[in-house]
Amino acid sequence: MGNTIDDRKLERIKQFRPIDDVFFEVLADDAAFCQEILRVILEDDKLTTLDVKMQKGVRNLVGRSVRLDALCTLGDGTLCNVEVQRSNNDNHFKRIRYNAACITASETEPGALFENVPSVIVVYISEFDILKGERAAYHIDKVVRETGNILDDGMKTVCVNTKANDGSKIAELMQLFTQTEVKSSKFPVFTERMNDIKNSERGQRKMCEIMEEYAEERVEEAKKEMIQEMLRDDMSVDKIARYADTDINYVLKIQSNMIESGQLQVNERRNTRKR
């Protein structure tokens, strides 16, 4: 048996809710759990979930990576990306489009016929009413303006939220995402997963591992943002590496990605390492 879990960590675990991404990563790492919630959200009682990949990293064509909360493979081969979002501080629909594009590019074989490009569903779970229509769910379709017909290009978006309780079954499910404890006969897998993670030693230790990973990622992200800022200030990569206490190749990689994405202009000074 390992070391006793710190009481402060146990208290933090008790306060986590499913809408918190650090908790959702552990909660959704189970095909049966994802199947139970997706049957409700996608309104398909026969839906099956074959596989779930948690916090899967995918890259776009210029190398920028994006982490996905839970990428599910459904029984018909459709990919379903489930994301939880608490902060309302960005363009969410562009984020959805970007992530779906990254998934499509990552999961499509080079040279494949477009007919074989995988279908993608994005389920976006937010703590705010994303369209302010006082509805728990919004199924967003592409519509031909002139005819009113729905265009099926293999991409679907379903936005659900915890704020608007419209009395639907989806709203009932969404209310569970705001609770620190769940006891629901209608959602037995959800209830069992919550209880196991919160109360079993195995679940608690998994939560501690993920919490530590998130803490390390925040430190790494802060360092990356500092390096980006210094590059914008036109500091030499040698000096940045010393200040950031990191390898110069790491700084050069960030510099290259910024140039490729248009965040940094190319000039002779930046392409020359100072001695």
Side-chain angles (χ1 to χ4, degrees), residues 1-56:
M1 184 175 293
N3 296 329
T4 303
I5 300 174
D6 187 281
D7 287 342
R8 291 172 297 179
K9 291 182 179 179
L10 289 175
E11 186 58 33
R12 286 190 64 191
I13 292 170
K14 288 181 182 179
Q15 298 306 314
F16 277 127
R17 307 167 302 157
I19 196 67
D20 299 315
D21 54 2
V22 64
F23 187 72
F24 184 78
E25 177 169 346
V26 179
L27 183 65
D29 191 12
D30 179 81
F33 169 84
C34 290
Q35 179 171 288
E36 184 174 79
I37 67 170
L38 289 176
R39 282 184 172 183
V40 175
I41 295 170
L42 300 180
E43 302 175 317
D44 181 357
D45 291 338
K46 298 186 183 302
L47 178 147
T48 57
T49 300
L50 302 180
D51 179 56
V52 184
K53 296 176 182 178
M54 299 308 302
Q55 290 289 0
K56 177 178 171 61

Side-chain angles (χ1 to χ4, degrees), residues 94-274:
K94 286 190 175 182
R95 175 179 177 176
I96 289 169
R97 179 165 65 90
Y98 179 85
N99 287 358
C102 288
I103 294 168
T104 302
S106 175
E107 300 295 329
T108 301
E109 292 294 330
L113 295 173
F114 288 113
E115 178 64 31
N116 297 325
V117 170
S119 296
V120 175
I121 301 172
V122 175
V123 172
Y124 204 72
I125 303 173
S126 63
E127 202 171 26
F128 48 89
D129 187 352
I130 195 166
L131 288 175
K132 300 178 179 159
E134 298 184 358
R135 293 179 179 272
Y138 301 96
H139 296 75
I140 300 169
D141 299 315
K142 292 183 179 178
V143 178
V144 179
R145 185 184 305 172
E146 288 76 12
T147 64
N149 293 333
I150 295 176
L151 177 66
D152 183 6
D153 63 357
M155 166 68 188
K156 295 181 180 178
T157 302
V158 182
C159 296
V160 292
N161 68 86
T162 63
K163 185 175 183 180
N165 190 346
D166 57 12
S168 64
K169 188 174 182 179
I170 292 178
E172 187 175 1
L173 171 64
M174 287 298 100
Q175 296 312 300
L176 303 185
F177 276 77
T178 67
Q179 299 175 16
T180 57
E181 294 184 7
V182 170
K183 293 181 181 179
S184 172
S185 59
K186 292 184 180 180
F187 302 100
V189 180
F190 200 129
T191 299
E192 183 179 352
R193 284 290 294 167
M194 284 280 288
N195 182 64
D196 181 61
I197 295 167
K198 295 265 188 174
N199 299 312
S200 74
E201 183 178 352
R202 180 185 65 254
Q204 292 167 349
R205 291 197 179 280
K206 182 62 177 178
M207 277 300 307
C208 289
E209 290 175 12
I210 299 301
M211 287 160 61
E212 289 173 4
E213 287 179 14
Y214 268 72
E216 291 173 0
E217 284 183 5
R218 283 195 291 270
V219 171
E220 188 62 28
E221 186 61 29
K223 177 184 285 190
K224 181 179 177 181
E225 290 176 358
M226 179 182 69
I227 291 172
Q228 289 173 329
E229 194 60 37
M230 288 190 286
L231 284 167
R232 293 188 187 97
D233 289 341
D234 213 18
M235 289 180 62
S236 72
V237 292
D238 294 43
K239 185 178 290 186
I240 292 172
R242 290 197 301 272
Y243 283 167
D245 190 23
T246 191
D247 185 80
I248 194 167
N249 290 323
Y250 179 64
V251 179
L252 289 169
K253 182 178 179 181
I254 293 175
Q255 180 191 60
S256 177
N257 288 340
M258 290 178 70
I259 291 171
E260 289 178 356
S261 63
Q263 299 177 66
L264 193 67
Q265 292 183 348
V266 181
N267 61 47
E268 184 177 352
R269 182 180 178 184
R270 286 194 175 107
N271 283 328
T272 303
R273 285 176 52 181
K274 293 184 176 180

